[in-house]
Amino acid sequence: MWLSQARRTLLHRIRRPRRSHSNQPPLTLALRPPLTQGRRVVSTLFSMPERRPFVRLPTDVYPVNYGLRLKPDLIDFTFEGKLEAAVEVTQGTNQIVMNCADIDIITASFVPEGGEEINATGFNYQNEDEKVTLCFPSTLQKGSGSLKIDFVGELNDKMKGFYRSKYMTPSGEIRYAAVTQFEATDARRAFPCWDEPAIKATFDITLIVPKDRISLSNMNVVDRKPYPEDHSLVEVTFATTPIMSTYLVAFVIGEYDFVESQSSDGVTVRVYTPVGKAEQGRFALEVATKTLPFYKDYFRVPYPLPKIDLIAIADFAAGAMENWGLVTYRETALLIDPKNSCASSRQWVALVVGHELAHQWFGNLVTMEWWTHLWLNEGFASWIEYLCVDHCFPEYDIWTQFVSADYTRALDLDALDNSHPIEVDVGHPSEVDEIFDAISYSKGASVIRMLHNYIGDEDFRMGMNAYLLKFQHKNASTEDLWECLEQASGKPIAAVMNSWTKQMGFPIIVVDQEQVHGSDRVLKISQKKFCASGPRNGTYENCPNWMVPISICTSEDPSCTKMKVLLDQPETTVNITNVAPDHWIKINPGTVGFYRIQYSSAMLESLLPGIRDLTLLPVDRLGLQNDLFSLARAGMISTVEVLKVMEAFVNEPNYTVWSDLSCNLGVLSSLLSHTDFHEDIQEFIRDLFTPIGMKLGWDSKTGEGHLDALLRGLVLGKLGKAGHKATLEEARRRFKEHVEGKQILPADLRSPVYLTVLKHGDSTTLDTMLKLHKQADMQEEKNRIERVLGAIPAPDLIQRVLNFALSEEVRPQDTVSVIGGVAGSSKQGRKAAWKFVKDNWEELHNRYQGGFLISRLIKLTVDGFAIDKMAAEVKSFFESHHAPAAERTVQQCCENILLNATWLKRDADDIHQYLLQRKAPPV
């Protein structure tokens, strides 16, 4: 499943150097002594609540095949169901315990093979645990039998289970589709079942639907005939599925167009779109038909089903879901309009398609044994989606983007006291949604990338193939994967990887050097846990240790690893021969190892010129800056020193490096919105981004590609938001022409232009933008507008935007990004958004039913506060308004607020002085 991370939005800020770079003084960076005295350890403020008791389903009866007939009513939003399951009774029992939620069972009976039917005498629902116990008057004997259940349920509006999704026909009529989302634990809302990933069975599905609707399921249609009781309906029967887990079952009933192709290995691929938009499915179809053979070749295992459908669903909580053979997507994660889609949307679709199709093998063919191993599915798919996109679109330079989008994001979250290990014990269903987060996805992907680098591609692929063949159609645990990779590579995979998946956090690698014997360099390398709140007191003995694969390169060849060591102790010494005294040494080339680095002052100073003269690779320029920013936040160096380093990026040509700089400056700008010198950091941003903005200009030039389009949108958005006068004037001019229909804005310029005019706009601007939203035929354009509406500055207009977020105009899943956009735009917006969330908590919590969207909403709304008392307020609110699926998120947010407050108190004056001194005329 792809969670729709509010794609590190390309909306940030900008600046110009005071002198030409040629005569700028050399960069120096002073390290602070460790701050250990009086440091607040935030974890003590927020203890995890007691875990709810939970017992997995008994194993005395298990399913072999589900015969399932469903008849949804698209007018009354109910459905009738008949289940006839072939089951095995492994020991005599007079009850069957299954999962069941929001379903009413009408009748149930059991027919032993060759025996008489036994009617159930009672149904005992345990609503808290989402279970039902079917009670029988006599013992069901060991052996095969058939369980028959008639039931009814509701097509809910919660985007989970079997639910309804609203859409508009081309003629403007409102209609509903019936669709499914079962991961993690919601198949039980569609039919009584054994809803645990390890309890696999085959499925025979029949849908009774209106004859003018398309109906889809995991497998191909084998029969379609009129329904005898109602001639307006048809009975559609699908082929038997392979043995699979319940969370991967899917069905969709609605009105769709499609485009179709065949992959080179003979699999029928279809992309289903809203009616009239079939052409918008072409790009995803092209990606999917390239991707299936790529994975077949990579895994050396063919795709096991005869067809695969990819379908755009109007109301959809996640980004996409990997149901076997019928992958469901948000419209914005699947549909691309050649004229109206921007470069970032194309890239997004390519990544999400790559992610979900990887799951067809890794997750569907071989499934995790329990949700504790969710990361196996998601971490792996989040890594290999990049491998796939790199194969399909090498011009995207996607692996550099991985470092900014996934790797640094995971480091930020995992440095908190309220993070969690990759492998986390999960019991009650309410706990499962919580682990669909950046640890399972992004840290999971990052440690697999590190592992792949450590093993080498050939051995990695050999191990993957052995794993898939050994466990196909079965379930596996993390240890099973390590064993296969260990046998293929001959390396101590389990020992190395357990230190990364079973314990929380990651190390900071501290490095110092000494030149000896003329051309030898001795490195002293040590590790300790990196904490967002700074170094802790404590000896090496009681600190966690990691087995850290460390690569080392030199300025002689920055792209080639000169030495590799496995650091399995608190510290070690490494001798590197033939390094000239004037050559620099870089740890972690390619920024592959999952750790931060703290160089000695001398080592760091020797590396910094490599930023300006671009001798450091883009991914290493990015990693160096990101590490320094993180060290500044943790109080280990001064933020002013990092601002000085940022000024060295004035010649930077790389999109991803600018994107990461932009994110960090966005964090700093948000922090300084709590001061009275917020305008000074805007000037810094304007100065830094102006040269690259001038160089790029507004219009694309011949020969430019994907990354140029991304960079132009990023830079103009940053300059416009920071109030760069020329950018603002040009944005307003182009916006006016766009609205008047004289010159339609290219898709890549819409986000930065919309953001800029709103940030410096009034009620007329907002009215115009809401009108554009209403007129937009494409969900991508609606989302583009929704994400930037919060930039409007006036308090009464901010309130209008918040009210709009809950209106019928905004799809339920997109409300979160509208509110998040308000909170992320200004100090005023943050306060207003938090008040709005509190005032409308009941409606919002009910809307998302405790799924991961509620966690996203909380994080986007409160993470930017920087006042101690706000942490207490947030904590207090959620103590009286329980959100079980977001408990850890609340703790992480409170911790972040306290970290922000500490950072502000510690560095605000120094930053202010530095920004003032930059403006002072030279003496």
Side-chain angles (χ1 to χ4, degrees):
M1 183 156 62
W2 229 114
L3 301 192
S4 63
Q5 318 307 9
R7 287 175 288 177
R8 286 191 127 174
T9 329
L10 311 176
L11 321 171
H12 291 297
R13 306 154 242 207
I14 325 236
R15 108 165 194 115
R16 170 179 7 218
R18 307 209 68 74
R19 304 168 286 272
S20 72
H21 92 94
S22 56
N23 60 4
Q24 286 178 4
L27 282 167
T28 60
L29 201 62
L31 296 179
R32 282 189 174 169
L35 301 179
T36 49
Q37 296 307 308
R39 174 158 307 289
R40 173 188 286 113
V41 181
V42 286
S43 57
T44 56
L45 293 182
F46 310 105
S47 55
M48 286 297 276
E50 280 183 47
R51 300 188 51 192
R52 291 167 69 175
F54 174 75
V55 180
R56 281 168 71 167
L57 292 172
T59 54
D60 49 7
V61 180
Y62 70 88
V64 176
N65 170 273
Y66 291 85
L68 183 63
R69 288 169 64 84
L70 289 169
K71 182 170 169 255
D73 184 327
L74 297 171
I75 309 298
D76 291 339
F77 306 132
T78 56
F79 61 88
E80 297 169 24
K82 281 183 182 296
L83 175 66
E84 193 163 326
V87 300
E88 268 314 305
V89 180
T90 57
Q91 59 188 63
T93 178
N94 62 356
Q95 59 182 38
I96 296 177
V97 184
M98 304 170 74
N99 291 115
C100 178
D102 304 333
I103 280 174
D104 286 323
I105 293 174
I106 312 298
T107 62
S109 65
F110 180 79
V111 185
E113 197 168 30
E116 292 290 308
E117 186 164 7
I118 308 166
N119 289 312
T121 50
F123 321 124
N124 178 14
Y125 296 93
Q126 295 104 55
N127 292 336
E128 273 284 285
D129 289 336
E130 300 181 343
K131 290 174 183 170
V132 65
T133 302
L134 309 178
C135 305
F136 294 91
S138 56
T139 301
L140 312 182
Q141 299 300 327
K142 188 175 169 183
S144 304
S146 177
L147 175 67
K148 298 179 181 181
I149 302 177
D150 286 5
F151 58 95
V152 292
E154 179 198 9
L155 285 175
N156 70 64
D157 59 355
K158 307 293 183 224
M159 296 186 286
K160 63 183 190 176
F162 197 13
Y163 71 93
R164 61 187 188 263
S165 172
K166 185 164 77 170
Y167 63 96
M168 192 180 281
T169 65
S171 63
E173 187 189 341
I174 295 287
R175 290 196 189 155
Y176 290 85
V179 301
T180 57
Q181 170 59 40
F182 291 164
E183 191 178 26
T185 57
D186 291 313
R188 62 194 65 175
R189 291 171 206 283
F191 55 102
C193 56
W194 288 262
D195 200 10
E196 295 183 0
I199 308 180
K200 290 187 166 188
T202 56
F203 292 81
D204 284 296
I205 292 169
T206 298
L207 300 175
I208 296 152
V209 300
K211 64 182 180 187
D212 60 349
R213 298 291 195 270
I214 277 179
S215 55
L216 303 169
S217 187
N218 305 81
M219 296 298 288
N220 48 303
V221 174
V222 290
D223 192 25
R224 181 185 168 98
K225 61 188 182 195
Y227 183 60
E229 294 167 39
D230 183 341
H231 293 305
S232 70
L233 302 178
V234 288
E235 201 171 298
V236 183
T237 303
F238 299 90
T240 306
T241 71
I243 185 168
M244 61 191 276
S245 304
T246 48
Y247 80 89
L248 295 166
V249 173
F251 16 92
V252 175
I253 300 105
E255 296 172 282
Y256 298 93
D257 284 343
F258 66 86
V259 285
E260 179 180 341
S261 184
Q262 267 208 338
S263 69
S264 58
D265 40 2
V267 179
T268 300
V269 184
R270 283 183 175 180
V271 175
Y272 284 86
T273 73
V275 172
K277 297 188 177 178
E279 287 311 302
Q280 293 180 18
R282 291 264 170 223
F283 178 72
L285 184 68
E286 176 197 330
V287 176
T289 46
K290 277 185 187 173
T291 295
L292 284 174
F294 171 74
Y295 285 146
K296 177 190 173 185
D297 177 57
Y298 195 85
F299 296 131
R300 299 171 189 147
V301 174
Y303 173 73
L305 272 60
K307 63 93 179 177
I308 190 158
D309 298 326
L310 293 73
I311 184 167
I313 305 292
D315 296 305
F316 199 74
M321 175 62 210
E322 69 265 21
N323 318 295
W324 216 355
L326 175 57
V327 186
T328 45
Y329 293 79
R330 276 193 189 194
E331 289 185 5
T332 48
L334 191 69
L335 305 181
I336 290 295
D337 179 333
K339 282 202 180 72
N340 294 301
S341 288
C342 58
S344 62
S345 293
R346 295 171 77 84
Q347 180 175 299
W348 175 242
V349 168
L351 282 168
V352 181
V353 169
H355 181 102
E356 302 309 332
L357 296 193
H359 277 312
Q360 306 302 305
W361 285 262
F362 212 90
N364 300 8
L365 181 63
V366 178
T367 312
M368 73 236 147
E369 196 279 332
W370 183 246
W371 299 108
T372 295
H373 305 282
L374 170 79
W375 88 276
L376 260 189
N377 278 13
E378 297 304 348
F380 186 85
S382 299
W383 169 75
I384 206 168
E385 73 188 54
Y386 283 87
L387 197 72
C388 167
V389 168
D390 191 47
H391 166 78
C392 295
F393 304 99
E395 69 276 15
Y396 285 9
D397 183 27
I398 202 74
W399 278 116
T400 306
Q401 294 193 56
F402 174 90
V403 175
S404 184
D406 281 273
Y407 171 95
T408 59
R409 199 167 150 263
L411 287 170
D412 287 343
L413 179 55
D414 206 28
L416 298 179
D417 291 340
N418 288 293
S419 180
H420 63 84
I422 283 179
E423 289 186 79
V424 59
D425 279 340
V426 172
H428 198 276
S430 67
E431 296 168 15
V432 179
D433 277 335
E434 269 213 294
I435 58 168
F436 283 88
D437 66 0
I439 299 297
S440 297
Y441 283 72
S442 299
K443 183 181 178 183
S446 299
V447 299
I448 284 174
R449 175 171 168 257
M450 177 170 70
L451 174 66
H452 174 264
N453 183 262
Y454 172 62
I455 293 178
D457 189 63
E458 193 45 49
D459 286 351
F460 187 86
R461 288 175 66 170
M462 209 154 62
M464 293 302 314
N465 172 257
Y467 171 80
L468 288 169
L469 291 179
K470 184 175 181 181
F471 294 100
Q472 60 184 330
H473 304 299
K474 300 192 189 88
N475 297 78
S477 68
T478 303
E479 287 69 26
D480 296 319
L481 177 60
W482 297 161
E483 194 178 308
C484 292
L485 290 170
E486 203 157 288
Q487 285 174 358
S489 68
K491 291 185 173 171
I493 305 304
V496 171
M497 294 308 290
N498 285 345
S499 71
W500 297 96
T501 65
K502 291 188 185 299
Q503 66 183 355
M504 188 174 96
F506 59 89
I508 179 165
I509 302 298
V510 182
V511 196
D512 201 355
Q513 66 177 11
E514 189 186 349
Q515 190 83 16
V516 294
H517 311 308
S519 65
D520 285 5
R521 195 79 58 91
V522 175
L523 298 185
K524 187 182 174 194
I525 301 174
S526 63
Q527 62 162 306
K528 57 189 176 190
K529 186 178 191 302
F530 179 75
C531 299
S533 53
R536 299 280 161 81
N537 282 325
T539 60
Y540 279 135
E541 286 75 62
N542 57 17
C543 286
N545 249 4
W546 285 264
M547 292 186 69
V548 192
I550 290 183
S551 303
I552 302 164
C553 73
T554 71
S555 48
E556 197 174 19
D557 187 352
S559 61
C560 179
T561 297
K562 193 170 174 92
M563 179 179 266
K564 288 188 175 189
V565 290
L566 185 64
L567 178 65
D568 56 0
Q569 299 296 318
E571 51 190 331
T572 191
T573 304
V574 177
N575 187 36
I576 304 176
T577 55
N578 301 321
V579 183
D582 59 341
H583 281 187
W584 49 253
I585 277 188
K586 168 89 177 60
I587 306 292
N588 202 15
T591 314
V592 174
F594 192 73
Y595 47 83
R596 298 261 182 221
I597 305 170
Q598 183 172 4
Y599 293 101
S600 65
S601 297
M603 288 188 80
L604 191 53
E605 279 185 36
S606 70
L607 283 167
L608 291 174
I611 292 174
R612 223 182 236 131
D613 64 20
L614 309 180
T615 49
L616 272 171
L617 297 180
V619 71
D620 290 321
R621 301 196 293 272
L622 185 164
L624 198 58
Q625 173 269 141
N626 197 285
D627 277 353
L628 292 171
F629 189 79
S630 193
L631 292 178
R633 189 181 187 222
M636 295 163 75
I637 59 173
S638 159
T639 307
V640 167
E641 304 291 3
V642 185
L643 289 172
K644 289 177 186 171
V645 170
M646 286 177 167
E647 294 185 272
F649 283 87
V650 67
N651 303 311
E652 181 57 56
N654 185 280
Y655 158 70
T656 312
V657 177
W658 276 114
S659 173
D660 203 68
L661 267 170
S662 169
C663 272
N664 288 339
L665 281 166
V667 169
L668 198 54
S669 175
S670 173
L671 185 77
L672 297 179
S673 68
H674 298 272
T675 70
D676 56 5
F677 60 92
H678 189 234
E679 177 46 38
D680 295 337
I681 193 71
Q682 302 314 305
E683 186 182 343
F684 180 95
I685 289 166
R686 292 195 295 268
D687 285 351
L688 185 59
F689 279 75
T690 295
I692 183 75
M694 300 280 285
K695 186 178 167 192
L696 286 166
W698 278 81
D699 299 305
S700 57
K701 304 168 185 67
T702 46
E704 281 190 348
H706 175 80
L707 293 164
D708 300 291
L710 292 181
L711 181 57
R712 179 173 288 108
L714 173 80
V715 171
L716 291 174
K718 200 74 173 171
L719 279 167
K721 192 171 182 184
H724 182 256
K725 201 160 178 288
T727 303
L728 175 56
E729 285 168 6
E730 183 64 7
R732 282 177 171 158
R733 184 186 73 75
R734 290 183 181 235
F735 183 66
K736 185 170 182 287
E737 290 197 339
H738 176 72
V739 172
E740 290 168 355
K742 290 180 187 166
Q743 181 72 53
I744 298 301
L745 280 166
D748 287 309
L749 289 182
R750 287 184 203 169
S751 275
V753 167
Y754 294 170
L755 173 72
T756 301
V757 297
L758 274 164
K759 181 71 182 172
H760 309 279
D762 54 18
S763 60
T764 311
T765 322
L766 183 59
D767 289 342
T768 308
M769 204 60 88
L770 291 173
K771 190 176 166 194
L772 283 180
H773 181 277
K774 201 172 186 65
Q775 290 167 350
D777 179 44
M778 205 183 169
Q779 196 57 34
E780 180 187 325
E781 177 74 356
K782 285 187 185 290
N783 283 173
R784 203 179 348 254
I785 294 167
E786 287 161 2
R787 283 199 299 268
V788 297
L789 285 174
I792 200 83
D796 58 322
L797 301 180
I798 287 174
Q799 203 50 50
R800 264 186 71 193
V801 171
L802 289 167
N803 293 334
F804 171 76
L806 275 179
S807 72
E808 285 286 310
E809 298 289 315
V810 177
R811 290 211 171 272
Q813 70 265 24
D814 298 321
T815 297
V816 172
S817 51
V818 182
I819 298 172
V822 171
S825 285
S826 62
K827 184 180 177 183
Q828 183 88 37
R830 198 157 38 241
K831 283 183 185 166
W834 171 231
K835 183 178 187 305
F836 185 80
V837 167
K838 287 189 294 183
D839 291 347
N840 294 277
W841 177 252
E842 206 167 306
E843 182 179 345
L844 288 162
H845 191 253
N846 185 44
R847 173 181 287 201
Y848 302 123
Q849 289 285 295
F852 46 75
L853 280 175
I854 207 78
S855 293
R856 186 76 32 80
L857 175 68
I858 294 166
K859 185 170 173 54
L860 288 172
T861 307
V862 305
D863 233 16
F865 284 115
I867 303 158
D868 286 355
K869 69 172 189 192
M870 283 308 304
E873 185 181 314
V874 170
K875 177 175 182 272
S876 165
F877 179 80
F878 288 107
E879 279 173 349
S880 55
H881 299 79
H882 292 294
E887 280 165 353
R888 188 179 271 112
T889 299
V890 170
Q891 290 162 335
Q892 289 165 350
C893 289
C894 291
E895 184 176 347
N896 270 325
I897 294 168
L898 293 176
L899 288 166
N900 289 341
T902 305
W903 187 12
L904 198 59
K905 284 177 207 153
R906 187 180 59 232
D907 276 7
D909 287 348
D910 288 352
I911 295 170
H912 192 196
Q913 285 309 309
Y914 174 70
L915 295 174
L916 286 175
Q917 162 235 311
R918 277 183 72 255
K919 291 196 288 188
V923 179

